[in-house]
Amino acid sequence: MKSTCTQLLLLLLAIHTLGFSQTSRPAGINLSGVVDWSTELVFTDAFKQAREWTVHEARDGAPWDSGVSIPLQANGFPLEIPFSNGIQSPQAVRALLLWDLQGHYPSGKYRLIVTGSGRVRLWGAANGMFQCPVDTLVTVNAVNGGVVLEIERSVASNPIKAVQFIYPQYVNSWQNQVFTTEFLDFVKDFQTIRFMDWLRTNGSEVKTWAERTPLNHYTQTKNSGVAWEYIIELCNATHKNAWINIPHQANDQYMQELAKLLKEKLNPNLKIYLEYSNEVWNGIFSQHAYAGSAGQALGYSGEPWVRAWKYTAKRSADLFYHFEQVFGQSDRLVKVIPCFAVNDWITNELLTYFNDPQYNPQRVKADAIAIAPYFGGAVADQLVTENLVNSISTAQIVARIKAALPESYAWMNAQKAVADKYGLKLLVYEGGSHVVATGANVNNEALTNKLIAANRDAGLQELYCAYSQYWYNTVKGDLFCFFSSHGLPSKWGSWGMKEYMNQTEAPKYKALKACVFAATVTRVRDIELLVDVSVYPNPTLDGTFLIR
């Protein structure tokens, strides 16, 4: 009878921890790029988000950047400072952190840890000269701009090989927590994370697996993108699906090795959305020209853009095939064909090529097409054309953005018809407002100020709600990945759902909370059974007792 009591107790404990939820509005987020000027503070160690070294002459008053190449350790630190190649003057290096963030990062006592022998200097929002090795607290005042770390000396026999610059709230916990709590809290409401900008997909020069960014590199702002291990660690820590973009020049071995790494390290309950590069159809990106040339080299016919579509179909098929060789026919893989939202005819062409054995000899299957049905893209330039920049009000601009929504809805509907025709899901890889100038209008300061005001207007919340509801309720589309997470507005656009991490009154993000996240239904959560259990008689003479 003792075992029966034990089983009852275990049952009660199990019920106490049971909880699950589901959503009728699956949402993803495009993370901002990991750069030193991003207000998205990703790592508890701020130095992981430092700019790559600027090399300069090791003297006062020298030009900012000498352009000299210096030898580096495998983790990116110099072998020796000052460095002399016997031709130019001795060289030193500097790295910028928390740059141009307009004060949107924490002030306080940061923990500076430097391993190795040498000397570093801080200036800007922090000041001091430090003999290394060192482990000390440094005062940082965000009002004074960003932080500059100079390596003035690094001894060749024991060079500086590690630098950490820990945010104040993590000085005692950073070794056990890679990502900031604020960052983790932001992503928790999404089901999927798209890593296009983390991977520096647009214009990527990565070709081989050896060219990827190492996990132990001193900064994760390299042009080769964030280390895949950090992407895996983030998805595992937050239990989010990974939408990954493969460099357009990546060879087959790269795809194979990546598949093996994800199979080994990523939580097996998480999905992987597979996309070849990003917007290869888009002529503004170098991957478009590359695909056209690569298609020509393979003997593909047609105009350059047609060859680019054919090559996109081929490399998408190759990507899917290599992952299936590792994962098998797994429902963990969501194989995505990226398409141009504005033109469903191009989508039909892409799918025709993808289903052609010439480009897909293994006859692998796709699962979805993905589009970017932004709204309001023509508004900014129209204000210039109609000579309204100086006279139009913020409310009138918002009204124009609202009037552009039906155009985006029409694209969604047309692409849904194509998806249904081919038996595929319809996804959004990027979406949201696209109120930004183009061409020479980018440098119209008055226009930029008007557009930023419109993107900050409370009326954007209503527009984002209507936009989301149309997608989920009318189109009945699947995953929608909003663009993007955090970012300060500029003449290049107002893309962030929030401008900085502790912002509370961001209308776009408020729309997500009210009209997307609120659709998540919690079925069972944190049930706690408070019961008194009485067993009698105790002891029992015949092995029989009652439980109350």
Side-chain angles (χ1 to χ4, degrees):
M1 305 309 291
K2 180 179 178 181
S3 62
T4 303
C5 292
T6 301
Q7 291 169 3
L8 174 63
L9 177 59
L10 291 174
L11 175 61
L12 296 180
L13 290 174
I15 292 175
H16 171 73
T17 60
L18 180 64
F20 65 92
S21 61
Q22 63 182 24
T23 179
S24 58
R25 297 186 174 184
I29 187 66
N30 283 268
L31 293 181
S32 300
V34 177
V35 292
D36 62 276
W37 62 88
S38 172
T39 54
E40 188 156 276
L41 309 180
V42 174
F43 302 101
T44 56
D45 174 8
F47 204 71
K48 290 186 186 298
Q49 209 160 332
R51 192 176 304 185
E52 290 192 86
W53 302 120
T54 299
V55 182
H56 61 93
E57 293 180 21
R59 62 179 177 85
D60 292 338
W64 180 260
D65 185 349
S66 65
V68 174
S69 178
I70 66 172
L72 302 173
Q73 303 168 55
N75 62 3
F77 284 95
L79 288 173
E80 182 181 15
I81 295 293
F83 166 74
S84 178
N85 59 11
I87 301 173
Q88 284 94 356
S89 300
Q91 304 288 312
V93 296
R94 66 169 65 94
L96 307 184
L97 297 81
L98 306 165
W99 206 251
D100 201 22
L101 302 189
Q102 301 177 20
H104 295 301
Y105 71 92
S107 296
K109 297 285 189 180
Y110 283 59
R111 186 174 176 181
L112 173 67
I113 307 171
V114 184
T115 304
S117 298
R119 183 176 66 248
V120 301
R121 180 167 70 98
L122 296 176
W123 55 274
N127 288 281
M129 187 83 72
F130 306 91
Q131 297 296 324
C132 307
V134 66
D135 185 345
T136 188
L137 295 179
V138 178
T139 299
V140 175
N141 187 348
V143 173
N144 295 329
V147 175
V148 182
L149 184 143
E150 304 256 10
I151 298 182
E152 295 192 337
R153 186 167 65 91
S154 184
V155 179
S157 60
N158 182 30
I160 289 173
K161 57 184 68 69
V163 174
Q164 282 85 36
F165 199 61
I166 312 301
Y167 290 111
Q169 59 270 51
Y170 305 106
V171 293
N172 296 318
S173 61
W174 67 279
Q175 288 179 302
N176 299 317
Q177 184 175 345
V178 172
F179 305 106
T180 65
T181 300
E182 298 83 354
F183 178 60
L184 296 175
D185 285 346
F186 174 78
V187 301
K188 68 180 173 59
D189 289 312
F190 299 94
Q191 287 74 52
T192 299
I193 302 173
R194 187 169 183 257
F195 291 99
M196 185 270 292
D197 277 330
W198 265 38
L199 293 166
R200 297 288 188 96
T201 305
N202 294 323
S204 175
E205 296 181 357
V206 173
K207 303 178 182 66
T208 68
W209 187 239
E211 293 172 331
R212 73 194 188 282
T213 299
L215 176 65
N216 67 343
H217 201 269
Y218 75 95
T219 180
Q220 293 296 307
T221 65
K222 286 171 62 64
N223 287 335
S224 49
V226 173
W228 283 106
E229 289 84 353
Y230 280 125
I231 290 173
I232 293 169
E233 186 166 356
L234 176 61
C235 290
N236 286 345
T238 57
H239 203 74
K240 305 302 176 187
N241 301 320
W243 186 316
I244 60 175
N245 301 76
I246 308 303
H248 61 280
Q249 299 183 71
N251 61 21
D252 289 352
Q253 185 195 23
Y254 183 104
M255 298 177 183
Q256 293 160 1
E257 294 298 327
L258 176 57
K260 293 174 186 175
L261 178 66
L262 291 168
K263 178 70 180 299
E264 178 185 358
K265 300 293 186 181
L266 187 67
N267 185 323
N269 295 315
L270 300 178
K271 291 185 180 296
I272 304 167
Y273 290 78
L274 294 172
E275 181 183 3
Y276 171 65
S277 189
N278 175 67
E279 294 189 1
V280 184
W281 49 263
N282 192 336
I284 71 170
F285 295 129
S286 62
Q287 53 261 35
H288 172 79
Y290 171 87
S293 297
Q296 184 176 32
L298 291 173
Y300 297 165
S301 61
E303 299 290 345
W305 55 88
V306 175
R307 298 196 303 267
W309 301 343
K310 292 177 177 179
Y311 192 76
T312 299
K314 172 198 164 33
R315 289 308 276 164
S316 294
D318 292 343
L319 171 64
F320 303 160
Y321 172 74
H322 290 307
F323 267 72
E324 285 183 350
Q325 291 298 105
V326 174
F327 284 84
Q329 297 293 326
S330 173
D331 60 4
R332 291 188 63 195
L333 303 179
V334 183
K335 295 160 288 183
V336 181
I337 303 294
C339 301
F340 184 29
V342 175
N343 195 325
D344 58 293
W345 178 79
I346 295 178
T347 304
N348 272 295
E349 289 292 291
L350 273 167
L351 292 174
T352 298
Y353 300 138
F354 180 80
N355 290 323
D356 187 332
Q358 180 180 359
Y359 313 107
N360 182 3
Q362 304 296 338
R363 305 310 300 265
V364 293
K365 304 296 183 184
D367 298 301
I369 59 173
I371 59 173
Y374 285 105
F375 63 92
V379 170
D381 293 337
Q382 287 172 351
L383 301 184
V384 177
T385 302
E386 299 174 27
N387 198 27
L388 295 173
V389 173
N390 295 320
S391 61
I392 196 166
S393 68
T394 299
Q396 289 172 323
I397 296 176
V398 173
R400 283 179 171 242
I401 300 172
K402 181 178 182 179
L405 281 170
E407 179 181 50
S408 177
Y409 298 164
W411 299 336
M412 294 178 184
N413 292 330
Q415 297 284 1
K416 184 62 163 64
V418 177
D420 289 346
K421 171 185 172 183
Y422 286 91
L424 302 174
K425 294 179 180 178
L426 179 63
L427 316 177
V428 169
Y429 65 86
E430 292 175 18
S433 61
H434 197 290
V435 186
V436 59
T438 64
N441 295 336
V442 165
N443 296 314
N444 186 324
E445 185 175 355
L447 176 62
T448 295
N449 292 335
K450 289 286 181 77
L451 298 181
I452 290 174
N455 274 286
R456 287 172 169 169
D457 190 83
L460 264 289
Q461 180 176 347
E462 175 190 343
L463 301 193
Y464 265 73
C465 278
Y467 180 63
S468 303
Q469 288 167 352
Y470 192 89
W471 170 259
Y472 291 115
N473 295 348
T474 303
V475 180
K476 300 190 184 304
D478 204 272
L479 175 66
F480 192 116
C481 292
F482 292 87
F483 192 90
S484 64
S485 48
H486 295 88
L488 294 175
S490 71
K491 66 181 183 179
W492 307 113
S494 299
W495 302 109
M497 303 308 296
K498 295 195 298 177
E499 294 184 16
Y500 46 91
M501 298 195 72
N502 61 352
Q503 185 181 24
T504 57
E505 294 300 312
K508 299 174 185 178
Y509 188 63
K510 289 173 69 175
L512 293 192
K513 291 195 291 185
C515 301
V516 178
F517 302 156
T520 299
V521 180
T522 301
R523 298 301 185 190
V524 182
R525 183 178 181 183
D526 293 335
I527 293 179
E528 184 174 1
L529 297 180
L530 299 177
V531 295
D532 292 320
V533 178
S534 298
V535 180
Y536 60 91
N538 186 14
T540 175
L541 298 178
D542 60 359
T544 302
F545 56 80
L546 299 176
I547 300 175
R548 184 180 65 194

